[in-house]
């Protein structure tokens, strides 16, 4: 539900004719007060049972809002608190409850600020003085590219209204990120991340991906040589090997070094016997189909 934008302006008018003032929106002074009726549901119809904040969006171009002010639970706002200079402005409202659910944007209202106004008056916008409803400012995630990766993988998050993003999380694990623009964020899969949704937190909103980002289990494609004595190095090849926590030779734990996401160097441990090699990461364990031989 969109807030009803009564926007009654108790204002100070210059000696402009009404028709000239309404052509651009009313001309108001710094002591003008905007008032409105708070909504009761979100844009999707969910009840806003615990209203927490009214956000006032402000811009100098229609439907382009570059500044915002949190009005709290108030249903009115003196324009003086916005610290605006003289000029043409466009305002819309959005309400939030204490769960972060938001209403749709109100219809837009235009006015001209002239702080030197000294004549008292009041005005209510007519139908002709309002503009079409602004585009939706809800933060959404439409895609994550790629949707599979291990910690350290760079991904691109695609969506809408990312400006002002405060955090990016992979199933709750905080990630380092760079906001490229209002529609794209570049993030690095963090250490400790697990399979689950991607979150983007912006002021007063949290967007969740409708799909999960997958932290894949390890894959073991080969090892060489196939026969090696205790104490010698064996090269294990596969993928998704980053973060490996254990390598075993038929159950005997080996010391190892993860050379890359695709390569592990392991030392044949004392006590090892003929059998398969296994690699364990935080996301699973893989065991070779071939047997390793101890000479």
């Amino acid at each position: 539900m969109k807030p009803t934008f009564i926007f009654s302006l108790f204002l100070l008018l210059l000696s402009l004719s009404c028709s000239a003032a309404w052509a651009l929106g009313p001309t108001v002074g710094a002591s003008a007060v905007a008032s409105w009726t708070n909504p009761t549901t979100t844009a999707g119809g969910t009840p806003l049972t615990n209203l927490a904040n009214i956000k006032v969006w402000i811009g100098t171009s229609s439907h382009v809002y570059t500044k915002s002010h949190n009005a709290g639970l108030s249903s009115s706002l003196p324009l003086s608190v916005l610290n605006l200079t003289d000029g043409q402005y466009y305002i819309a409202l959005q309400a939030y409850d204490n769960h972060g659910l938001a209403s749709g944007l109100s219809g837009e209202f235009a006015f001209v600020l002239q702080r030197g106004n000294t004549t008292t008056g009041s005005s209510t916008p007519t139908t002709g003085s309002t503009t079409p409803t602004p585009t939706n400012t809800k933060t959404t995630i439409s895609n994550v590219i790629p949707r599979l990766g291990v910690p350290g993988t760079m991904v691109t998050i695609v969506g809408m209204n990312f400006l002002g993003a405060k955090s990016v999380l992979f199933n709750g694990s905080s990630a380092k990120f760079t906001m490229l623009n209002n529609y794209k964020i570049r993030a690095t899969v963090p250490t400790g991340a697990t399979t689950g949704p991607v979150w983007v937190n912006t002021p007063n909103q949290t967007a969740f991906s409708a799909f999960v980002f997958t932290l894949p289990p390890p894959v073991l494609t080969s090892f060489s040589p196939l026969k090696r004595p205790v104490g010698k190095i064996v090269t294990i090849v596969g993928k998704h090997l980053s973060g490996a926590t254990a390598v075993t030779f038929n159950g005997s734990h080996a010391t190892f070094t993860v050379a890359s996401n695709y390569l592990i160097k392991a030392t044949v441990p004392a006590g090892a016997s003929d059998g398969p090699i296994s690699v364990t990461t935080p996301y699973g364990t893989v065991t070779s189909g071939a047997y390793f031989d101890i000479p």
Side-chain angles (χ1 to χ4, degrees):
M1 178 178 176
K2 299 171 182 176
T4 302
F5 205 162
I6 295 176
F7 205 94
S8 298
L9 287 172
F10 303 100
L11 49 92
L12 303 177
L13 293 173
L14 276 181
S15 56
L16 293 175
S17 69
C18 289
S19 58
W22 285 112
L24 293 174
T27 301
V28 304
S31 61
V33 176
S35 63
W36 56 85
T37 300
N38 292 331
T40 57
T41 65
T42 68
T46 303
L48 285 168
T49 54
N50 295 291
L51 195 64
N53 183 47
I54 299 292
K55 184 177 284 292
V56 181
W57 296 95
I58 311 107
T60 55
S61 298
S62 179
H63 300 166
V64 180
Y65 307 121
T66 58
K67 182 177 180 180
S68 66
H69 177 84
N70 292 320
L73 297 177
S74 177
S75 58
S76 64
L77 180 73
L79 295 185
S80 58
V81 304
L82 300 178
N83 296 317
L84 304 176
T85 57
D86 286 2
Q88 173 78 43
Y89 291 95
Y90 301 83
I91 286 184
L93 304 174
Q94 193 168 25
Y96 297 86
D97 70 8
N98 57 11
H99 300 295
L101 298 175
S103 71
L105 275 176
S106 71
E108 188 178 77
F109 185 72
F111 66 92
V112 176
L113 176 64
Q114 291 184 353
R115 290 170 298 169
N117 290 342
T118 57
T119 306
T120 301
S122 64
S123 182
T124 300
T126 63
T127 302
S129 69
T130 58
T131 57
T133 301
T135 55
N136 192 1
T137 60
K138 182 180 180 181
T139 301
T140 58
I141 297 173
S142 58
N143 201 3
V144 176
I145 306 169
R147 293 190 186 181
L148 180 148
V150 295
T153 302
M154 188 77 72
V155 303
T156 300
I157 303 169
V158 182
M160 293 182 64
N161 301 305
F162 289 152
L163 291 179
K166 299 183 295 182
S167 62
V168 173
L169 301 97
F170 286 73
N171 200 28
S173 296
S174 182
K176 293 181 179 180
F177 69 97
T178 301
M179 188 166 59
L180 303 179
N181 53 45
N182 196 33
Y183 310 100
K184 286 184 180 180
I185 289 175
R186 187 162 292 153
T188 302
V189 180
T191 301
T194 55
T195 296
V198 176
W199 310 349
V200 173
N201 292 314
T202 62
N204 296 312
Q205 292 193 57
T206 298
F208 296 84
S209 62
F211 47 85
V212 300
F213 182 87
T214 302
L215 279 294
V219 175
L220 199 162
T221 56
S222 66
F223 58 84
S224 64
L226 300 179
K227 181 185 293 188
R228 199 74 161 155
V230 170
K232 297 300 182 179
I233 300 295
V234 174
T235 299
I236 301 168
V237 179
K239 59 182 178 179
H240 311 314
L241 303 179
S242 294
T245 57
V247 174
T248 62
F249 286 71
N250 198 28
S252 297
H253 286 268
T255 58
F256 64 94
T257 300
V258 178
S260 72
N261 193 36
Y262 308 97
L263 197 69
I264 288 177
K265 299 281 189 179
T267 301
V268 181
S273 57
D274 294 353
I277 295 175
S278 296
V279 176
T280 299
T281 74
Y283 314 109
T285 297
V286 61
T287 299
S288 65
Y291 271 30
F292 178 81
D293 291 334
I294 304 292

